[in-house]
Amino acid sequence: MPELVLELNGRTWTLDASRPYTLGRDPQGDIVLDDARVSWRHATIAWNGRSWAIEDHGSTNGTFVQGRRIQQEEIGPGSAVNLGNPTDGPRVTVSGAAGAAPQAQPQQPYAAQGVNGGWAQQQAAPQQAAPQQTPQQQAPQQSWQQPQQQAAPQQQSQQPAPQQQPAAQIPQQQGPGGGAGAPPVYGDRSPTTFHQFSLGRVMRIGRALENELVVSDLQVSRHHAEFHATPDGRFEIRDLGSHNGTFVNGMPIGKSGSALLGPHDIVGVGHSTFRLVGDRLEEFVDTGEVSFSARHLTVTVDGGKQILKDVSFGVPEKSLIAVIGPSGSGKSTLLKALTGYRPANQGDVLYDNRNLYKQFAELRQRIGLVPQDDILHKELTVKKALKYAAKLRFPADTTAAEREARIDEVLRELKLDVHKEKKVTSLSGGQRKRVSVALELLTKPSLIFLDEPTSGLDPGMDRDVMQLLRGLADDGRTVLVVTHSVAELALCDKLLVMAPGGSVAYFGPPEEALNFFGYDTWADVFSAFENYRDYDWAGRWKGSQHYQMYAADIDAVAPQSIDVSPPQAIKPPKPQGWFSQLGTLMRRYLSVIASDKGFLALTVILPAVLGAVSLLIDPDKGLLVNPVNSKTGLPIPNGTATTVLLILAVGACFAGAANSVRELIKERVIYERERATGLSRSAYLMSKVIVLGAITVLQGLMVGLIGFSSREIPEKGLILGNATLFELCLPIMALGFTSMMFGLVISALVKTSEKTMPLLVMFAIIEVVFTGCLFTLHGTVGVNEFSYLMPSRWAVAAAGTTLDFNNIAPNTDDPTSTDPLWDHTVSAWGMDMIALLALGAICGFLVARFLRRHEPEVMRK
């Protein structure tokens, strides 16, 4: 066993292969590095039986080889390793008499080992050979012959004989620490590292350096969870109040909850997964190189119609997959089924051997989704938009510096750092799509799904976006893109073509697809789909040699996942507490409003104009009190008071509803995505209610002050005594708030922003009719009862009690009949105001229920 010589800052260490050596700031370690960027227990160098290798132990700032962050990497003479920073971190150089590895194939990094990793590499050969073996001039029968000859070794590699497998690839059978019957994790890959347990010991997991097991993942809290080894030989996991939760077999154990662990249980913390085998804890780190597969997905809608039919395909790690097909082929339905937003009625989606539907609460954080519409507030700058997204998605104990560092890292990766201070609205379409991708990359997802990212872009931007996705896949992610563009399909590793009706017409290398269909262009293929809609495209696909090569062995490629009982309802943990989310959402909303100068101007101008209009009503009759006939001593009806109040009420209704009628529909895509990442529905709604409510109440106050201050009003009110002016303004302010809540109901109901304006106009007209100022409502059976649903009815009534409307505007048909809502009493005023605010609360409840429809279905079942 050869020795290894390390050199650092003039010091030299000679390593013997008989034991491992630790690197870090720990004074008790073998190689001590006094640098703040180096973790306490940063990495280990050891002889693995065939070569020397360095393994990162969840360090905060990472271990780098040739500028690339690694988890485990073979090293030898001439190698150089940077700790803590890829450029200026402590640099360890390797020299000495390190022997070469035995004559065997080079060992793959742990993230590429196992069945799935081998399968991904085996797939590469046919893809590379395809352009030479299947030129488009050949007939489809000829194009299938050569790949068919290569299919046999590929299928053999997917089901290798036990003696051909390296021992490290099947830890539960032969690898160190593996036990018979242990469940598969990450495609049966070798664990990242091992941790030894002893009875009575506590092993704490978290992001902070003082933990026994440090996980450098911003999804993990500083002190996340603890493993306990009990005296009776059992093991327990306890959550320490983590923000993103601790999971056992994909199910959250609850904040500060605990669970006893069995021999087959898998614990999830952030991007790391742990498995107990005997008295040893095996750790698997999800580095992004994961496989993904769909098996027999079928989606049925009301009436028994199938819009997705038996869709199966397997996606190797680090690959780019394009999904194309004509309208009505189920592409959007497939995307929702693959991401868990709308689970298929039948079939499974496997995330590297784990059932996505059953373990959605945990795996949702490892999946990024970029919808067709931008998931951004376009009024904000690029960096500010990412700042608020990071604040919502990362744990509350993440420092501003940590979030800032991650944002800068993502901006540099996507070449957006030069645009970070620009508003999103000022960017080109391709740049905006990059920002949407950057937002998803903040949490380091292993899978990224994109829905029509090139829609509306010119060919140059189309190519730029597809090249961006190609780079994301090459960097160690799996990317699936639904697209109508066929210009850049050559950049993809695999192509999935959907046929009308929701079935698979082709899956395989994109360069072989046209030959498979027997056409020269994709326009001809899509025309064939349209002209022969009843043709059995799926049957043709399943009877082809391509199916045998690329899809027939999907069950062998994606083994069965661990069987866990599906929960009645998935309530995933939230990255932050409710009040923390509320504060972040309110600050973001205020930033959006402050950056919209047009909205700010309208907020002031609209109530000023509406209040001023009321001044045109009988300006020479400024009385809002009951005048008395000097001869008879009897009150004289005052129509000016009801007319003025009608104008002010309509103005408050219109201003309040106009403020909110588009707020939810314009952010629907943003809400859907953020809700899937842990956003609280009630916190989101309350952020709108508080900010818009404050704006609307101030507008109502402005309307009331302008309308009432220039007219004669009673000297004393019912409730506030001499503050009659403010007492009259209160119903107008409450009316604006309740109308704002009605606007939120409309915004939550409609499907497009264009539908909000007709409903806003209709709402305003109905409010005018049912104020009680145009005609007498009391005593009109049915109409009066219906008016109780109108906020303007109660607001006018509350102001009418202060002004004593039963005397100012008596019922001309029957002067003895008075409206009880207008009685000049404290109880009548209180009832009117309570009813007005109760309508607003009912609207809030309805909005919350309607918002629930726009959440991932797997979270609602």
Side-chain angles (χ1 to χ4, degrees):
M1 294 185 292
E3 293 180 341
L4 190 71
V5 178
L6 302 184
E7 297 180 8
L8 172 65
N9 295 334
R11 298 183 60 189
T12 302
W13 292 267
T14 300
L15 278 56
D16 185 83
S18 61
R19 70 178 185 90
Y21 293 82
T22 60
L23 292 80
R25 291 188 292 109
D26 185 359
Q28 305 301 319
D30 299 298
I31 302 173
V32 182
L33 298 93
D34 187 14
D35 190 296
R37 294 168 295 181
V38 177
S39 296
W40 192 257
R41 289 180 288 274
H42 196 104
T44 298
I45 296 179
W47 174 260
N48 61 17
R50 57 195 300 166
S51 62
W52 286 93
I54 185 169
E55 179 180 349
D56 187 276
H57 280 288
S59 63
T60 301
N61 295 314
T63 304
F64 303 86
V65 175
Q66 295 181 348
R68 175 174 54 88
R69 185 164 184 168
I70 59 97
Q71 189 67 38
Q72 187 181 61
E73 186 84 3
E74 291 184 1
I75 57 176
S79 299
V81 180
N82 286 81
L83 305 179
N85 188 284
T87 55
D88 60 355
R91 184 179 181 86
V92 179
T93 57
V94 181
S95 60
Q103 294 297 321
Q105 294 184 356
Q107 183 183 9
Q108 303 173 23
Y110 80 98
Q113 293 178 356
V115 176
N116 291 320
W119 180 77
Q121 293 178 348
Q122 300 280 350
Q123 293 290 319
Q127 294 178 34
Q128 295 169 357
Q132 297 178 357
Q133 297 164 356
T134 60
Q136 294 190 7
Q137 290 82 3
Q138 295 178 348
Q141 293 83 352
Q142 295 172 325
S143 68
W144 294 337
Q145 291 174 1
Q146 186 65 22
Q148 183 180 1
Q149 297 171 5
Q150 297 186 4
Q154 175 185 324
Q155 294 171 359
Q156 291 174 5
S157 69
Q158 293 165 357
Q159 296 180 346
Q163 63 270 21
Q164 295 175 341
Q165 284 276 11
Q169 291 184 344
I170 310 180
Q172 72 269 28
Q173 295 177 357
Q174 301 174 20
V185 181
Y186 294 129
D188 291 341
R189 293 177 184 148
S190 177
T192 309
T193 187
F194 301 95
H195 307 277
Q196 194 68 35
F197 254 128
S198 59
L199 293 180
R201 183 183 175 188
V202 175
M203 183 176 291
R204 188 170 58 183
I205 307 171
R207 206 174 69 251
L209 297 179
E210 60 266 23
N211 292 287
E212 287 78 14
L213 204 163
V214 179
V215 179
S216 59
D217 181 356
L218 290 184
Q219 296 279 13
V220 177
S221 299
R222 294 185 62 82
H223 301 97
H224 197 102
E226 287 180 345
F227 281 101
H228 286 254
T230 59
D232 60 0
R234 304 178 71 183
F235 295 94
E236 182 184 35
I237 180 69
R238 297 178 187 174
D239 186 87
L240 299 179
S242 66
H243 296 279
N244 278 323
T246 304
F247 303 84
V248 175
N249 296 331
M251 297 294 107
I253 63 175
K255 184 165 288 192
S256 301
S258 62
L260 288 173
L261 301 177
H264 292 180
D265 290 333
I266 295 175
V267 178
V269 174
H271 285 78
S272 297
T273 304
F274 301 90
R275 177 177 64 188
L276 281 165
V277 180
D279 60 350
R280 184 150 53 182
L281 183 67
E282 297 181 349
E283 179 182 0
F284 300 80
V285 179
D286 185 347
T287 59
E289 298 176 340
V290 300
S291 63
F292 184 76
S293 60
R295 297 191 302 169
H296 312 296
L297 298 182
T298 300
V299 174
T300 305
V301 295
D302 295 339
K305 180 182 178 181
Q306 290 185 343
I307 56 177
L308 206 64
K309 300 179 182 177
D310 194 27
V311 175
S312 295
F313 63 93
V315 179
E317 58 191 36
K318 296 173 62 175
S319 59
L320 174 60
I321 313 298
V323 180
I324 65 172
S327 300
S329 59
K331 299 188 299 298
S332 297
T333 302
L334 175 62
L335 188 65
K336 292 179 180 179
L338 294 176
T339 56
Y341 271 47
R342 199 288 186 195
N345 301 98
Q346 301 175 22
D348 296 313
V349 175
L350 298 183
Y351 174 101
D352 226 17
N353 217 34
R354 304 176 66 185
N355 192 303
L356 175 63
Y357 296 161
K358 295 179 180 179
Q359 303 186 30
F360 181 80
E362 177 186 355
L363 298 179
R364 68 193 174 98
Q365 299 180 18
R366 308 186 192 183
I367 296 177
L369 174 62
V370 181
Q372 182 173 348
D373 298 324
D374 293 327
I375 47 178
L376 303 161
H377 289 89
K378 298 179 182 179
E379 301 84 359
L380 301 178
T381 63
V382 171
K383 189 163 187 178
K384 187 171 287 189
L386 294 181
K387 183 187 76 171
Y388 286 117
K391 180 71 173 173
L392 286 172
R393 298 192 182 193
F394 290 142
D397 62 5
T398 307
T399 65
E402 289 175 315
R403 293 193 299 269
E404 190 92 2
R406 180 57 188 157
I407 291 171
D408 291 340
E409 182 182 351
V410 171
L411 290 174
R412 287 193 300 268
E413 180 181 359
L414 298 182
K415 297 179 176 61
L416 287 169
D417 46 335
V418 296
H419 304 294
K420 63 183 179 181
E421 299 302 333
K422 296 180 181 178
K423 284 190 176 183
V424 176
T425 51
S426 66
L427 301 178
S428 66
Q431 291 169 343
R432 284 202 301 272
K433 193 59 62 177
R434 283 178 177 265
V435 178
S436 293
V437 173
L439 191 149
E440 291 300 308
L441 290 184
L442 288 174
T443 54
K444 298 184 178 180
S446 301
L447 288 172
I448 301 178
F449 295 89
L450 300 100
D451 187 10
E452 300 286 355
T454 60
S455 177
L457 302 183
D458 60 49
M461 290 184 179
D462 181 359
R463 180 180 59 193
D464 291 343
V465 171
M466 292 301 293
Q467 288 177 341
L468 165 67
L469 302 183
R470 176 72 265 171
L472 294 178
D474 293 338
D475 288 341
R477 305 175 183 93
T478 301
V479 183
L480 187 144
V481 53
V482 174
T483 180
H484 278 110
S485 174
V486 297
E488 305 296 333
L489 294 180
L491 293 172
C492 302
D493 298 299
K494 290 288 191 299
L495 175 64
L496 177 67
V497 182
M498 300 294 293
S503 58
V504 177
Y506 173 82
F507 178 72
E511 61 268 16
E512 299 180 19
L514 287 176
N515 274 343
F516 171 82
F517 289 107
Y519 291 98
D520 295 328
T521 66
W522 283 108
D524 295 331
V525 175
F526 278 48
S527 295
F529 283 147
E530 181 64 28
N531 297 331
Y532 306 101
R533 298 186 69 89
D534 296 331
Y535 182 75
D536 186 9
W537 295 100
R540 179 178 184 270
W541 157 243
K542 291 183 178 180
S544 68
Q545 294 292 337
H546 279 71
Y547 176 80
Q548 298 299 322
M549 292 169 56
Y550 301 117
D553 51 1
I554 183 63
D555 288 334
V557 173
Q560 292 286 346
S561 60
I562 303 167
D563 187 17
V564 294
S565 299
Q568 293 298 318
I570 291 179
K571 295 182 179 180
K574 299 175 177 58
Q576 297 182 31
W578 191 88
F579 286 102
S580 179
Q581 283 196 3
L582 176 63
T584 301
L585 290 167
M586 289 177 60
R587 287 193 297 273
R588 182 177 70 178
Y589 193 24
L590 289 172
S591 296
V592 171
I593 292 176
S595 63
D596 190 346
K597 301 300 188 293
F599 179 82
L600 288 176
L602 188 62
T603 299
V604 177
I605 294 174
L606 180 62
V609 171
L610 293 175
V613 169
S614 68
L615 300 179
L616 302 177
I617 308 299
D618 292 336
D620 56 332
K621 297 179 179 179
L623 300 179
L624 292 183
V625 294
N626 183 263
V628 179
N629 189 309
S630 59
K631 295 181 179 180
T632 64
L634 299 176
I636 301 174
N638 182 3
T640 300
T642 54
T643 305
V644 169
L645 198 55
L646 172 65
I647 297 300
L648 296 179
V650 171
C653 283
F654 187 82
N659 284 340
S660 61
V661 75
R662 292 193 178 188
E663 283 305 310
L664 300 183
I665 181 62
K666 75 179 184 181
E667 291 187 357
R668 181 160 298 171
V669 176
I670 299 175
Y671 172 75
E672 289 177 356
R673 182 67 195 119
E674 291 184 342
R675 178 65 177 140
T677 61
L679 178 69
S680 167
R681 182 196 314 142
S682 57
Y684 175 78
L685 177 57
M686 283 303 299
S687 70
K688 299 293 184 185
V689 171
I690 293 174
V691 175
L692 286 176
I695 292 174
T696 304
V697 166
L698 291 176
Q699 288 178 324
L701 178 61
M702 185 183 299
V703 169
L705 290 176
I706 294 174
F708 291 126
S709 60
S710 63
R711 299 180 184 272
E712 183 179 348
I713 58 176
E715 294 182 359
K716 286 190 177 182
L718 287 170
I719 305 298
L720 301 180
N722 293 330
T724 309
L725 177 61
F726 186 67
E727 183 177 316
L728 287 173
C729 290
L730 279 177
I732 303 300
M733 295 158 64
L735 175 58
F737 178 84
T738 303
S739 299
M740 181 271 298
M741 297 300 295
F742 267 86
L744 289 179
V745 172
I746 295 173
S747 190
L749 277 174
V750 298
K751 294 183 178 180
T752 61
S753 297
E754 289 75 14
K755 295 180 180 179
T756 58
M757 295 312 296
L759 292 175
L760 174 62
V761 173
M762 183 177 68
F763 170 75
I765 292 175
I766 293 176
E767 293 301 308
V768 171
V769 173
F770 288 98
T771 55
C773 296
L774 295 180
F775 59 92
T776 302
L777 291 172
H778 176 63
T780 307
V781 179
V783 175
N784 186 43
E785 286 72 20
F786 181 76
S787 71
Y788 294 160
L789 300 176
M790 303 296 120
S792 61
R793 173 77 160 106
W794 298 100
V796 169
T801 60
T802 300
L803 296 173
D804 195 7
F805 263 15
N806 278 327
N807 285 324
I808 289 180
N811 187 343
T812 55
D813 296 331
D814 184 5
T816 62
S817 176
T818 59
D819 192 335
L821 301 186
W822 290 1
D823 287 345
H824 189 60
T825 62
V826 173
S827 60
W829 188 92
M831 181 184 67
D832 294 338
M833 291 295 292
I834 291 173
L836 180 59
L837 296 177
L839 285 176
I842 293 172
C843 288
F845 173 79
L846 293 176
V847 174
R849 300 300 297 176
F850 295 148
L851 279 177
R852 188 171 178 269
R853 301 182 309 167
H854 307 297
E855 299 171 3
E857 189 170 327
V858 72
M859 298 175 67
R860 293 186 270 132
K861 285 192 173 182

